[in-house]
Amino acid sequence: GRFLVMAALGNYLDAASAAVRARDGATLARLLDVTNSDASRAVTSCLAENREVNLGSLCQQKLPQPYDEVFAHHCQCLGAIGEGRFEDAFAAVTATTQAFVKDFKLQETAWSLDALVHVVKAAKELATRADAALVAAGKKAGKLHDAGALLMLVYRNTANTSVTEKKRASLFLVVSLFKIYFKLNTLHLCKNLIAAVNLPTFPAFETFPSSQKVTYSYYVGRLAVFDDDYHRAENHLSYAFAHCSNKHPTNKKLTLRYLIPIKLILGKKPTTHLLDKYELHEYKTVVDAVRKGNVAQLNTALQQHQVTFIMQGTFLVLEKLRAVALRTLFQKTHAFCARQNPQKANQVSLLLFAKALTWCGAGMDIDEVECVVANLIYRKFIKGYISHKSRIVVLAKNDAFPSLGSS
């Protein structure tokens, strides 16, 4: 029994040695995949049979440097996963990655890049599982943070090279780091990565797989939302939505959750068909309220779906739609004033606007109304000035209501 168990592990390491010597990247990637059941079985059976087995010396006998080190750590990682010790598994995959990167940096080709990608994916996954185990044990989670530092090390060592082929995984690493930073809410760390992607030394964006370009655009779009850079957000989120495969409706829906509020802020309304197709029913009342300028209806819709919007991270953006709805209502008040008194078509009574707000259930006193209009003028939603004494708004003769997309 013991001989067979050792033979299985020996065969696995022999296969690894053959892949390294032949520079067979595809086989190496398969052998370093933590989900490879044959490899897991070979290692866990061996450790179950003999806890004292020296994986380090076994790998040294079989493999050239530094792959002896890479596979010794990888075997420890597989053993730890098999026993559900995720903290140890993460520590081992970290050591695997560090040993691998040291060698990859010295290589003149990218033959082992796919294997490195497998190891990086495992590091991120195991960090998440280790953190879950730590939290369950009442301890502080910190492994995903460590995975971020590890991925940054990999990124630096694959990006700082003149060998273009070695940069093939650059966008994959950037996207993986984005996912970590968003999970940890350390969004400021994304800025340097975006700057790096925009450098001339970074491979052309079009050369990367579509899925990576879509994910990158989705995260850059979301960051632009946080920065109130609505045009940039619209560009990136529209790209992500348009290029996301129809095979992934969930991802398209996820993108729309951020794209719809941005479009509304820029004065563009989604169709009912689109909201129905992606089952974004929570947005229907919001869209209708913004279109009508019904501030109270918007407040009710935001309150009704508040938990959903907060969980999605869109509540703060949707709150900004109040200004869009207020502007629409003000435009309607202006149209009414102009019809009543064509000679003073560019003047709007604040008292009348206050009545309009009360009529749609969002009543406030005249000083608050003046404050609201002052804010709309400040934000360039309206062009004009307030005559405090007369309680009227004097609108600009031209373009009193600039396109929302231009503000």
Side-chain angles (χ1 to χ4, degrees):
R2 175 175 287 200
F3 174 75
L4 285 173
V5 162
M6 289 302 288
L9 182 60
N11 289 343
Y12 168 64
L13 295 175
D14 283 339
S17 176
V20 169
R21 291 175 207 280
R23 296 193 156 203
D24 178 352
T27 303
L28 184 68
R30 200 165 59 248
L31 295 170
L32 279 172
D33 185 346
V34 290
T35 62
N36 181 329
S37 52
D38 290 339
S40 299
R41 210 175 300 117
V43 172
T44 48
S45 306
C46 181
L47 289 172
E49 190 72 37
N50 178 12
R51 295 295 295 180
E52 305 306 309
V53 67
N54 188 333
L55 290 169
S57 75
L58 199 61
C59 290
Q60 250 174 342
Q61 289 166 32
K62 300 270 188 187
L63 286 140
Q65 284 184 330
Y67 284 94
D68 55 345
E69 204 185 328
V70 168
F71 274 89
H73 292 308
H74 183 64
C75 288
Q76 284 168 340
C77 178
L78 293 177
I81 292 170
E83 293 173 3
R85 293 181 286 110
F86 293 109
E87 270 185 89
D88 294 341
F90 176 67
V93 80
T94 299
T96 307
T97 310
Q98 288 165 339
F100 201 116
V101 165
K102 213 183 295 176
D103 175 67
F104 186 81
K105 193 180 176 182
L106 303 172
Q107 293 285 341
E108 282 170 21
T109 67
W111 75 272
S112 59
L113 186 62
D114 290 341
L116 180 56
V117 166
H118 272 300
V119 174
V120 164
K121 281 181 180 170
K124 187 170 160 288
E125 172 65 26
L126 290 170
T128 305
R129 295 180 78 170
D131 276 346
L134 283 165
V135 170
K139 295 177 188 168
K140 190 172 180 287
K143 301 302 175 189
L144 195 61
H145 175 272
D146 296 343
L150 182 69
L151 262 67
M152 201 63 217
L153 170 84
V154 176
Y155 175 75
R156 279 198 297 270
N157 283 292
T158 54
N160 299 338
T161 172
S162 55
V163 184
T164 312
E165 183 59 17
K166 287 175 85 171
K167 299 182 185 185
R168 192 163 42 83
S170 295
L171 198 63
F172 157 75
L173 291 165
V174 166
V175 163
S176 301
L177 282 162
F178 276 173
K179 288 177 181 174
I180 290 173
Y181 295 155
F182 265 77
K183 196 113 180 257
L184 296 175
N185 202 18
T186 52
L187 303 184
H188 62 284
L189 295 173
C190 298
K191 296 274 164 46
N192 289 343
L193 291 171
I194 295 171
V197 172
N198 293 329
L199 286 174
T201 48
F202 198 88
F205 191 69
E206 288 313 311
T207 60
F208 291 102
S210 182
S211 61
Q212 290 173 21
K213 290 186 289 190
V214 164
T215 312
Y216 175 80
S217 300
Y218 167 74
Y219 281 111
V220 174
R222 281 192 59 187
L223 283 167
V225 171
F226 290 121
D227 290 340
D228 291 342
D229 189 342
Y230 302 133
H231 288 287
R232 191 157 184 253
E234 185 189 22
N235 287 342
H236 285 284
L237 291 169
S238 296
Y239 178 95
F241 180 71
H243 292 86
C244 179
S245 166
N246 289 325
K247 291 177 193 160
H248 302 292
T250 312
N251 290 347
K252 285 182 97 80
K253 180 177 179 174
L254 201 58
T255 308
L256 281 176
R257 279 181 180 158
Y258 299 96
L259 184 55
I260 288 169
I262 293 304
K263 291 262 193 202
L264 286 169
I265 285 173
L266 295 173
K268 300 166 188 178
K269 315 286 189 293
T271 61
T272 311
H273 170 71
L274 185 77
L275 297 176
D276 284 338
K277 184 179 177 181
Y278 291 99
E279 297 179 351
L280 290 160
H281 308 304
E282 66 270 27
Y283 281 106
K284 279 187 175 172
T285 354
V286 173
V287 172
D288 189 50
V290 172
R291 191 173 50 79
K292 289 178 184 165
N294 190 330
V295 186
Q297 185 187 331
L298 179 63
N299 289 342
T300 308
L302 291 180
Q303 266 174 331
Q304 193 185 343
H305 301 290
Q306 188 173 1
V307 175
T308 307
F309 292 140
I310 288 171
M311 297 289 282
Q312 289 171 8
T314 53
F315 187 71
L316 291 175
V317 188
L318 289 163
E319 284 254 275
K320 289 173 183 166
L321 288 174
R322 282 204 178 96
V324 182
L326 283 162
R327 174 183 126 129
T328 304
L329 186 64
F330 189 84
Q331 267 179 298
K332 289 182 173 182
T333 309
H334 164 246
F336 177 79
C337 284
R339 274 199 307 274
Q340 298 295 100
N341 192 351
Q343 280 78 36
K344 293 184 176 177
N346 67 326
Q347 294 185 9
V348 181
S349 157
L350 282 174
L351 290 163
L352 196 63
F353 185 47
K355 277 184 184 167
L357 284 162
T358 305
W359 176 78
C360 75
M364 53 183 86
D365 70 39
I366 195 68
D367 290 329
E368 279 183 280
V369 171
E370 191 171 317
C371 223
V372 161
V373 176
N375 186 38
L376 291 174
I377 292 170
Y378 171 72
R379 291 179 65 178
K380 299 186 174 65
F381 277 32
I382 297 171
K383 275 190 198 169
Y385 65 89
I386 298 169
S387 168
H388 175 70
K389 196 171 153 197
S390 325
R391 299 283 194 187
I392 61 163
V393 182
V394 181
L395 293 172
K397 288 276 197 298
N398 300 317
D399 200 19
F401 298 97
S403 149
L404 285 172
S406 65
S407 61

